[in-house]
Amino acid sequence: MKVLIDRETVERRIGELAVEIAADYLEAPLFVGILTGAAQFMMALIDRLPEEMLAKLDYDFVDVSSYQGTENTGQVVLVKDLTIAVEGRDVLVIDGIVDTGRSLDFVLDMICTRRPHSLKTCALLDKSARRALQVPVDYCGFEIEDAFVVGYGMDYDQRYRALHHIAIIE
Ligand code: 5GP
Ligand code: MG
């Protein structure tokens, strides 16, 4: 395994994203994390938000799956729906990594039909060169090359999620 983005760099960038997001969300936002990859990133992001924003912030998770083991099947299915109603809310969908865009597109479509007040996206990592569907990433941590990465929530067959840095499996 080779370190692609070290811990300090990841943490610094998450701090910057938190500042940007805090400035843009003055009303009560709803963060929607896409499991399992977004969990560590979303919590780190929340941790870096200004104190005064926390009382107005709600968060929830959805789970979608397109992988069976280590194989991306390309077919996205809903595994766990939201618990919180999104109608009229300012929703920020958060994912660990956007690759083909299929997962994020699926979640955006689903939320869109429930009539949120606004809908934006945030991803720690973006492999934009691999995009099959044009989905917007409004807040992007890092643009990365086309390589399979692990760490900070990203797994290889459920392993390596807990790493504090982003690594490439060789
Ligand atoms: P997409 O639907 O955009 O093709 O892929 C999104 C999902 O695929 C991510 O949420 C993640 O679960 C998985 N994925 C895509 N690329 C990578 C990668 O490089 N490493 C890991 N661990 N997962 C990835
Ligand atoms: Mg995922």
Side-chain angles (χ1 to χ4, degrees):
M1 258 199 297
K2 183 181 100 193
V3 176
L4 178 67
I5 310 170
D6 65 28
R7 177 179 187 169
E8 193 195 333
T9 307
V10 173
E11 287 175 358
R12 192 188 323 121
R13 185 70 188 122
I14 291 174
E16 289 168 1
L17 288 173
V19 169
E20 241 188 281
I21 289 167
D24 291 351
Y25 285 86
L26 303 174
E27 302 301 317
L30 170 60
F31 286 6
V32 172
I34 304 180
L35 290 171
T36 304
Q40 195 161 326
F41 171 48
M42 186 163 99
M43 290 308 135
L45 194 58
I46 289 173
D47 215 46
R48 304 291 290 273
L49 292 173
E51 190 77 32
E52 62 271 18
M53 195 174 164
L54 302 182
K56 324 182 276 188
L57 171 73
D58 296 330
Y59 69 81
D60 198 355
F61 289 100
V62 282
D63 194 5
V64 296
S65 173
S66 53
Y67 273 75
Q68 298 200 318
T70 58
E71 287 295 307
N72 189 339
T73 61
Q75 177 82 28
V76 184
V77 293
L78 183 67
V79 176
K80 181 217 167 286
D81 203 340
L82 291 166
T83 306
I84 299 180
V86 302
E87 187 171 350
R89 300 297 305 266
D90 291 302
V91 179
L92 181 64
V93 177
I94 299 174
D95 204 350
I97 186 164
V98 183
D99 183 26
T100 65
R102 288 195 185 94
S103 306
L104 189 57
D105 182 73
F106 179 93
V107 172
L108 289 178
D109 270 0
M110 188 182 92
I111 292 176
C112 208
T113 62
R114 301 175 188 182
R115 309 192 325 138
H117 177 253
S118 69
L119 184 54
K120 292 213 272 186
T121 63
C122 173
L124 179 61
L125 306 173
D126 187 353
K127 287 201 276 197
S128 56
R130 296 240 324 144
R131 208 67 101 247
L133 288 175
Q134 284 319 309
V135 288
V137 178
D138 299 295
Y139 304 95
C140 171
F142 304 92
E143 282 270 351
I144 61 164
E145 62 198 270
D146 179 11
F148 194 83
V149 296
V150 296
Y152 228 94
M154 267 56 74
D155 70 308
Y156 176 72
D157 209 7
Q158 303 305 331
R159 292 191 61 203
Y160 310 120
R161 285 195 200 277
L163 298 177
H164 279 128
H165 60 274
I166 307 294
I168 295 183
I169 299 256
E170 290 164 305

